[in-house]
Amino acid sequence: MKRYKDFASDGGSNIVGQVVDQQTRLRSRLASVKHTVAVMSGKGGVGKSAVTVNLASALSLQGYRLGILDADINGPSIAKMTGIQRSAFSIQHSAFKNGLPPAIGFLGLRVISMDLFLPDEKTPVTWDAPTQKEAYVWRGTMEMTTLREFLTDTEWGDLDYLLIDLPPGTDRLPNIAGLLPQLSGTLILTIPSEVSQAVVKKSITLAKEHLKTPVIGLIENMKGYACPHCGNIGELFHSSGILACEEMAKNLGIPYLGSIPFDPRISLTTDVGKPFMSEFGDSPAAKAIIEIAEKIKTFIL
Ligand SMILES: Nc1ncnc2c1ncn2[C@@H]1O[C@H](COP(=O)(O)OP(=O)(O)O)[C@@H](O)[C@H]1O
Ligand SMILES: [Mg+2]
């Protein structure tokens, strides 16, 4: 039987060399990406993926080259939201030599998502382990390994912005920030309800104080209901007794980037892979998204 002193070396695997090699590859892959922006939220379902896709669309319509890394390994939705057919990707994927080419969605958006590697819509992500119970123990590590591989293998080409759609909650940002050589900043998304705001404060504290990554600002989604018939904006969430998001951002010392109204046409288009920003570019929600995109550009430049 081997004893601990037999393992004092790396047993010939050159693990340090492998890690350094992977880091070098990751840096060279991302050398062609000008700005990397992480999008986070405290809670799920606040519209993080939809807003990420629509911000990317707004920038793409202005001529910027955009990529989206769907880092929500267990709830991937970016491929579907950008109109990518899984089958088209697998053909392209099988031909890769120097790197993994991202799938191309509408408006030329380049996308990598776990979704593209699953056989169909109903299959969940499962990890290789003797039992799924054991896989649960390793889940965090395996998710991060997958993300690291996505980052090291994807041949993005020249990009102006790479947006990273993080899973909800605060636990993945430290790992992502650790993986990326440079993160231009994080966007934090919330909705105007008390529960969401309480959770979002945790995300801000984490991004700002613990990770020292620049917080580009707070985006308030689903603020009011924009009636597609009369154009009037009505309240969607009960808001009495809670701090307005703008005030919350001010108190927390981060920029407030603006609000996006609830517009059913966002889910009608985005959820089925149609470009909301080009189909309803004149709507108040699209205009709000364009304004927010402008503020992001100004922050980064
Ligand atoms: N401003 C909005 N108006 C209308 N529907 C929205 C808006 N923002 C998001 N949605 C819809 O809400 C649902 C949840 O959004 P999603 O982006 O999947 O949330 P998350 O990524 O935060 O879990 C989707 O159906 C999406 O199209
Ligand atoms: Mg999502």
Side-chain angles (χ1 to χ4, degrees):
M1 188 197 288
K2 283 199 175 187
R3 299 173 58 193
Y4 72 90
K5 61 182 180 195
D6 299 322
F7 294 102
S9 78
D10 64 7
S13 65
N14 187 21
I15 190 81
V16 176
Q18 284 186 43
V19 171
V20 171
D21 190 47
Q22 200 172 37
Q23 280 295 332
T24 314
R25 265 192 297 146
L26 198 143
R27 274 172 204 282
S28 75
R29 286 275 185 234
L30 293 177
S32 59
V33 175
K34 282 193 193 151
H35 308 293
T36 311
V37 174
V39 188
M40 65 189 295
S41 68
K43 260 166 42 103
V46 298
K48 186 167 43 58
S49 304
V51 170
T52 303
V53 166
N54 287 309
L55 277 173
S57 308
L59 290 165
S60 184
L61 283 167
Q62 294 176 7
Y64 293 98
R65 293 154 303 179
L66 264 291
I68 306 178
L69 172 66
D70 189 350
D72 196 347
I73 304 283
N74 288 295
S77 49
I78 297 293
K80 187 162 189 213
M81 286 181 166
T82 49
I84 294 166
Q85 303 292 329
R86 206 180 264 110
S87 52
F89 177 73
S90 52
I91 296 165
Q92 191 190 10
H93 171 217
S94 61
F96 87 90
K97 286 193 193 82
N98 301 322
L100 178 65
I104 311 292
F106 58 59
L107 301 173
L109 300 177
R110 299 175 216 178
V111 172
I112 279 295
S113 167
M114 194 67 204
D115 220 6
L116 298 166
F117 299 91
L118 297 172
D120 51 54
E121 259 193 356
K122 63 181 189 307
T123 307
V125 176
T126 51
W127 302 103
D128 223 5
T131 69
Q132 280 308 304
K133 272 189 196 154
E134 284 168 59
Y136 179 75
V137 179
W138 293 100
R139 186 174 297 273
T141 314
M142 292 195 271
E143 278 174 31
M144 283 324 295
T145 307
T146 307
L147 279 182
R148 184 184 290 117
E149 282 178 9
F150 280 169
L151 283 165
T152 359
D153 292 343
T154 308
E155 183 74 61
W156 294 104
D158 290 333
L159 286 186
D160 293 300
Y161 296 93
L162 173 63
L163 306 186
I164 304 183
D165 182 16
L166 292 177
T170 49
D171 51 344
R172 290 290 173 262
L173 184 66
N175 305 95
I176 291 275
L179 281 182
L180 291 168
Q182 85 287 0
L183 191 60
S184 307
T186 53
L187 292 169
I188 298 168
L189 201 75
T190 188
I191 52 172
S193 75
E194 193 171 9
V195 185
S196 178
Q197 288 196 16
V199 200
V200 95
K201 285 182 191 164
K202 291 191 178 65
S203 316
I204 296 173
T205 312
L206 179 81
K208 228 177 89 173
E209 289 164 25
H210 295 268
L211 298 170
K212 316 268 183 246
T213 51
V215 176
I216 303 174
L218 184 70
I219 302 172
E220 188 178 12
N221 190 27
M222 306 193 192
K223 184 169 190 204
Y225 173 76
C227 175
H229 309 294
C230 67
N232 281 345
I233 308 249
E235 197 173 287
L236 191 67
F237 292 95
H238 168 74
S239 61
S240 69
I242 65 161
L243 213 56
C245 279
E246 197 165 354
E247 216 178 321
M248 178 177 81
K250 201 170 145 207
N251 290 347
L252 290 162
I254 63 160
Y256 177 76
L257 300 178
S259 65
I260 305 166
F262 184 93
D263 184 334
R265 292 170 298 185
I266 291 187
S267 55
L268 273 176
T269 49
T270 310
D271 294 4
V272 294
K274 290 188 185 152
F276 170 75
M277 295 303 289
S278 37
E279 292 193 9
F280 299 103
D282 283 336
S283 62
K287 285 182 182 157
I289 290 166
I290 293 167
E291 262 181 50
I292 293 168
E294 288 307 311
K295 290 188 185 159
I296 296 171
K297 285 194 305 194
T298 312
F299 181 96
I300 286 177
L301 293 179

